[in-house]
């Protein structure tokens, strides 16, 4: 279980977000510091810290996060996007509550750096 993070505060409504979608398992909202013209996050309501903490029991939840992100992408008429999950500080993870980034609207580079 993760400690209270900014994302748990978004989930319980303590701090606002630009919400795109919500159901009993997850919430999706625009990233506050967008790295592309489209940049949103899909996060589980369950306070999982990162992919290091997932197991077999989470496979439906993880699939759900990706499918919700895809549905939003389709609603936005996107045909190209990048999906990122940072795991651990060295990867760039700054919020220790699992989240899936969806970025689109510009040419992406590889390697990501
Ligand atoms: P990561 O670096 O993978 O942990 O991504 C965390 C992301 O959360 C960053 O892209 C931040 O800009 C974003 N973020 C942090 N606080 C908020 C917030 N209050 N609302 C929306 N996005 C946020």
């Amino acid at each position: 279980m993760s400690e209270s993070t900014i994302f748990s505060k978004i989930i319980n409504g303590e701090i606002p977000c630009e919400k795109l979608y919500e159901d009993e398992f997850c919430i999706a909202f625009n990233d506050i510091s967008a790295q592309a013209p489209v940049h949103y996050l899909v996060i589980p309501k369950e306070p999982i810290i990162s992919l290091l903490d997932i197991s077999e029991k989470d496979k439906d939840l993880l699939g759900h996060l990706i499918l919700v992100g895809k549905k939003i992408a389709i609603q936005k008429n996107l045909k190209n996007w990048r999906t990122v999950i940072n795991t651990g500080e060295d990867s760039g993870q700054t919020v220790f509550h699992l989240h899936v980034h969806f970025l689109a609207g510009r040419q992406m580079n590889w390697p990501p750096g």
Side-chain angles (χ1 to χ4, degrees):
M1 289 292 191
S2 65
E3 312 253 318
S4 180
T5 64
I6 194 109
F7 289 173
S8 47
K9 293 191 172 82
I10 286 177
I11 292 164
N12 67 26
E14 266 179 76
I15 63 166
C17 69
E18 287 179 20
K19 196 187 297 180
L20 301 172
Y21 176 87
E22 182 171 12
D23 65 23
E24 63 182 299
F25 302 111
C26 72
I27 179 166
F29 51 89
N30 284 326
D31 196 293
I32 204 166
S33 176
Q35 300 302 310
V38 176
H39 186 179
Y40 54 92
L41 306 171
V42 186
I43 73 172
K45 288 190 171 174
E46 190 182 334
I48 298 167
I49 297 172
S50 78
L51 288 185
L52 264 181
D53 301 283
I54 60 151
S55 62
E56 193 72 15
K57 70 171 172 41
D58 301 309
K59 62 187 180 189
D60 287 348
L61 175 64
L62 290 168
H64 184 66
L65 300 180
I66 300 293
L67 285 171
V68 164
K70 180 199 169 182
K71 266 185 210 161
I72 295 168
I74 298 303
Q75 280 165 7
K76 291 179 177 291
N77 279 322
L78 299 177
K79 291 194 173 58
N80 299 265
W81 66 83
R82 179 168 289 175
T83 306
V84 174
I85 304 177
N86 292 321
T87 303
E89 271 175 36
D90 286 358
S91 79
Q93 186 175 7
T94 57
V95 179
F96 291 88
H97 180 123
L98 181 66
H99 49 282
V100 187
H101 295 261
F102 285 80
L103 301 116
R106 66 166 169 82
Q107 179 65 50
M108 299 290 164
N109 300 312
W110 197 264

